[in-house]
Amino acid sequence: MASSTLPWLTLSIFVPIFFGLLVLLIGRDDNPGPARVLSLVGAIVAFLVTLPLYTGFDPTTADMQFVEFAPWIETFHLNYHLGIDGISVWFILLTAFITIIVILAGWEVIRSRVAQYMAAFLILSGLMIGVFSALDGMLFYVFFEATLIPMYIIIGAWGGPNRVYAAFKFFLYTLMGSLLTLIAFIYLWHVAGGSFDVLTWQNMPLGYTEQILIFIALFAAFAVKVPMWPIHTWLPDAHVEAPTGGSIVLAAIMLKLGAYAFLRFSLPITPDAAHSLAGIMIALSLVAVIYIGLVAIVQDDMKKLVAYSSVAHMGFVTLGFFLFNITGLEGAIIQMISHGFVSGAMFMCIGVMYDRLHTRRIDAYGGLINRMPRFATYFLLFSMANAGLPGTSGFIGEFTVILGAVQYNFWIGLLAATALIWGAGYSLWMFKRVALGPVANEQVDGMRDLCSREFLILGLLAFFVLFLGIYPRFFTELMHPSVQALLDHVSISKL
């Protein structure tokens, strides 16, 4: 295993948490300026300490790198065990980048309890990076569950009129599913002779019935987090009520926690169960891709529309996982990264409009391009990416998964490909009603175009949407050995 002289993973986890606590200490409601500045400095520093994970990464091996190991709770053989491969490294970088975006997004919009708001995102960032780097099962579980607390507070304290209901529903759904996963982890600890080491779990011989039961227990937590149909109903409520920053992080990063967990736990630990239940997983994914895409078309709230589109796009991710070919699996991971940029950008665009007009209803807008041409240009680009336009990141992920699906079964590929139609339907129809045509009313007539801060945020997101769409090899080169190793591992029966 490759390692490093400096504990870069520990720094990646605890630098944002440290800055978050520092912001809480110095923050004052009567003078929020220092808290804002310190939060941005903390987010930038936290991003910078993740860069050595990329620059020092060896793309020729599938072994875990930057490994850190120390005893944690020796009585139960719990260890502080961290490491990353070519899959997890991208999500750590994405998390740190999106944290800068949400700090900037809330810079002027959040005016009450500013320090607590900024601190919640910094702490949440550290906890999510912990999820992507944990190689001890219980350490993973602690980070996985701890992410609920800051997001619960973000929705409940700074959300919309029904924020308490949405926050409680979000917390209840995600916590209840995780209890079965905890039972599965304890069982694996017992079978492994008192070890929570994830790499040990991945190489244990488990009986078929054991694998099925463990897969179902893990599914209970991971599918809710993705979320998969039909346990997706918490997501639209959470998105609608969350502040803009909360929606960005929820869509861009938190949905990826469940998908990543499928790759780290469900597939490698229970490969035979994964193969046996693949038909069910593919069917659920196709329902999300097709049915939820149709549900998105009829929404009159922009946030709800994009929230449902997220469920449809994440359906591509779970579909790619269970095709068991390199094309589908790499496509699914690219789709996860792409969705981080595109969904984050879509929610940022909706936030820009909401800050000016204080409504998310599509019929309240119209002719926005006449008053906000710079914004409309960005909004069109991200809407096209959301629809899967070639040249954008949205196309690369979906098209690659469709190719993998065709290799697996032509008809499954054909059904998945219909998502490009539904995506164009809900994305471009929303853009048409919001931005095109004559100015709809006096409120729209008085809307001002992007300020420099908003232009910078959307510009950064646009760059990565186009960069990933034009040069996906930059991302796939690093992940390919790890994806191939995972696929080889899953193809070997443990029976």
Side-chain angles (χ1 to χ4, degrees), residues 69-74 78-80:
F69 185 93
W72 179 22
I73 304 175
E74 296 187 39
L78 299 179
N79 299 300
Y80 179 76

Side-chain angles (χ1 to χ4, degrees), residues 236-251:
D237 291 322
H239 271 310
V240 166
E241 299 303 326
T244 298
S247 289
I248 292 172
V249 167
L250 190 59

Side-chain angles (χ1 to χ4, degrees), residues 78-123:
L78 299 179
N79 299 300
Y80 179 76
H81 189 190
L82 305 175
I84 57 170
D85 60 6
I87 298 170
S88 50
V89 62
W90 288 120
F91 297 107
I92 293 173
L93 292 166
L94 179 64
T95 302
F97 171 74
I98 291 295
T99 303
I100 298 175
I101 295 296
V102 296
I103 296 296
L104 288 171
W107 193 265
E108 296 175 357
V109 179
I110 303 300
R111 307 205 173 162
S112 66
R113 303 185 295 272
V114 173
Q116 292 90 329
Y117 178 86
M118 301 295 188
F121 280 109
L122 287 168
I123 293 169

Side-chain angles (χ1 to χ4, degrees), residues 7-20 38-53 91-100 103 121-127 129:
W8 291 114
L9 285 175
T10 293
L11 290 172
S12 299
I13 294 168
F14 289 103
V15 164
I17 293 175
F18 168 77
F19 273 99
L38 184 60
S39 299
L40 181 58
V41 170
I44 293 171
V45 172
F47 177 69
L48 292 176
V49 298
T50 64
L51 292 180
L53 300 177
F91 297 107
I92 293 173
L93 292 166
L94 179 64
T95 302
F97 171 74
I98 291 295
T99 303
I100 298 175
I103 296 296
F121 280 109
L122 287 168
I123 293 169
L124 177 59
S125 175
L127 295 174
I129 289 173

Side-chain angles (χ1 to χ4, degrees), residues 23-187:
V23 169
L24 281 177
L25 286 175
I26 72 154
R28 291 171 47 190
D29 278 347
D30 60 340
N31 184 22
R36 289 191 178 108
V37 172
L38 184 60
S39 299
L40 181 58
V41 170
I44 293 171
V45 172
F47 177 69
L48 292 176
V49 298
T50 64
L51 292 180
L53 300 177
Y54 171 75
T55 58
F57 195 89
D58 181 1
T60 63
T61 178
D63 292 340
M64 288 293 167
Q65 303 182 44
F66 298 94
V67 173
E68 299 175 34
F69 185 93
W72 179 22
I73 304 175
E74 296 187 39
T75 306
F76 300 105
H77 303 286
L78 299 179
N79 299 300
Y80 179 76
H81 189 190
L82 305 175
I84 57 170
D85 60 6
I87 298 170
S88 50
V89 62
W90 288 120
F91 297 107
I92 293 173
L93 292 166
L94 179 64
T95 302
F97 171 74
I98 291 295
T99 303
I100 298 175
I101 295 296
V102 296
I103 296 296
L104 288 171
W107 193 265
E108 296 175 357
V109 179
I110 303 300
R111 307 205 173 162
S112 66
R113 303 185 295 272
V114 173
Q116 292 90 329
Y117 178 86
M118 301 295 188
F121 280 109
L122 287 168
I123 293 169
L124 177 59
S125 175
L127 295 174
M128 292 189 296
I129 289 173
V131 172
F132 293 126
S133 54
L135 292 181
D136 180 274
M138 192 50 61
L139 184 64
F140 169 89
Y141 188 81
V142 168
F143 281 129
F144 192 76
E145 294 305 295
T147 58
L148 299 181
I149 299 169
M151 184 52 73
Y152 177 82
I153 295 170
I154 289 164
I155 297 172
W158 291 276
N162 295 320
R163 59 185 178 273
V164 175
Y165 165 77
F168 184 74
K169 189 175 182 181
F170 158 75
F171 193 90
L172 188 64
Y173 265 65
T174 47
L175 179 65
M176 290 297 289
S178 298
L179 296 178
L180 278 176
T181 296
L182 178 61
I183 295 171
F185 279 10
I186 293 171
Y187 179 79

Side-chain angles (χ1 to χ4, degrees), residues 266-289:
S266 300
L267 292 178
I269 293 173
T270 59
D272 298 303
H275 280 279
S276 295
L277 299 175
I280 296 173
M281 298 298 291
I282 289 171
L284 294 176
S285 301
L286 287 175
V287 170
V289 168

Side-chain angles (χ1 to χ4, degrees), residues 207-223:
Y208 182 71
T209 303
E210 287 177 296
Q211 288 195 40
I212 293 290
L213 293 174
I214 291 169
F215 184 94
I216 293 170
L218 298 177
F219 175 87
F222 304 157

